[in-house]
Amino acid sequence: MNTTSRRIQDTPTLRARAGIVRDFVAVDDGGDFTYHRSEQDLLTAFEYVGEAACIIDRNGCAYRLALDPNRHLILGPSRGQVEFHWLRHAWLDAQNAHPEGHRLRRFYPTTRDEVVSDLFETLALERGTAPAEGAWSLDIDGRASHPSGIEDIDVQLRRQDVLAHAHVTDPFGHLYQPARHRRHWYLPAAAGFILYIEIPAPAAAR
């Protein structure tokens, strides 16, 4: 979510070192969240300053878009730490409003660090961005496999009539119970999509 060349003045403690690419999470003017692997990726995703309501880096610092003297979009200076309660509620609202786009449902975050970490990890996984370490794991009735990503897991789980005996572990070690979500109450469950609900690790052994 960050690039090595900075066009803004960051706070000294958060200034990017040469060679480090920073990534970002953005909240758009409609309230949805997206992950961006670099500053350039972020800037090309938006067309005007107000389109991004809030931009967050991995330190939990908030930014807004701005215009340079040539009226090109740039990342504005840090506005300090993102407000925790607003961020947590905005993330929950986005999950409820866009359930098919945000299908990894982790435990309710209790600190700013937790919600920022969850945002970066889950949005990157939903986008299909592979983390540097770890791999997905899918266990169905004691038979384990290592799918390439969440779409591969979806394919395997669609073949299952019952998901109660399936468990999924993401590359960051979070354990989930898959559950079918109906698009509409009058449609069959098979016509919906799968949510991945985080559960305590010991629950997998019950």
Side-chain angles (χ1 to χ4, degrees):
M1 292 189 181
N2 309 306
T3 58
T4 56
S5 62
R6 303 294 297 153
R7 289 175 290 179
I8 65 169
Q9 289 186 346
D10 255 337
T11 54
T13 56
L14 301 178
R15 188 171 296 139
R17 292 175 297 172
I20 300 298
V21 176
R22 300 167 60 205
D23 52 357
F24 298 88
V25 163
V27 188
D28 65 25
D29 54 2
D32 200 13
F33 285 68
T34 50
Y35 171 76
H36 305 274
R37 289 180 290 182
S38 68
E39 185 178 327
Q40 185 57 42
D41 185 21
L42 169 75
L43 295 175
T44 56
F46 295 97
E47 297 181 355
Y48 55 91
V49 169
E51 191 177 6
C54 183
I55 297 164
I56 307 157
D57 68 15
R58 285 184 180 266
N59 294 308
C61 289
Y63 303 82
R64 294 292 297 271
L65 294 175
L67 295 175
D68 68 12
N70 295 317
R71 302 194 63 77
H72 296 140
L73 282 179
I74 60 172
L75 187 64
S78 171
R79 303 164 71 92
Q81 291 287 299
V82 64
E83 207 284 314
F84 164 60
H85 295 288
W86 170 83
L87 180 63
R88 180 169 62 175
H89 286 295
W91 176 225
L92 292 175
D93 287 345
Q95 289 176 311
N96 291 331
H98 309 281
E100 193 166 3
H102 304 301
R103 296 189 294 121
L104 294 176
R105 303 301 180 90
R106 290 189 177 175
F107 296 133
Y108 192 65
T110 58
T111 67
R112 180 189 291 109
D113 288 346
E114 282 184 9
V115 69
V116 170
S117 175
D118 281 355
L119 281 170
F120 276 86
E121 291 179 4
T122 60
L123 289 171
L125 290 172
E126 288 168 352
R127 174 173 167 159
T129 302
E133 299 178 0
W136 289 94
S137 176
L138 171 62
D139 186 289
I140 302 175
D141 288 324
R143 298 188 301 273
S145 62
H146 296 283
S148 60
I150 194 168
E151 292 183 355
D152 190 9
I153 296 172
D154 288 339
V155 170
Q156 296 189 50
L157 291 180
R158 287 193 195 105
R159 305 179 189 136
Q160 304 296 316
D161 294 328
V162 179
L163 301 182
H165 301 296
H167 294 93
V168 175
T169 304
D170 72 22
F172 300 99
H174 293 261
L175 181 67
Y176 305 87
Q177 172 71 65
R180 289 189 172 91
H181 185 282
R182 297 175 185 268
R183 285 188 170 85
H184 298 286
W185 64 269
Y186 53 82
L187 293 176
F193 53 90
I194 298 174
L195 292 178
Y196 296 89
I197 313 299
E198 186 172 12
I199 58 175
R206 295 175 185 173

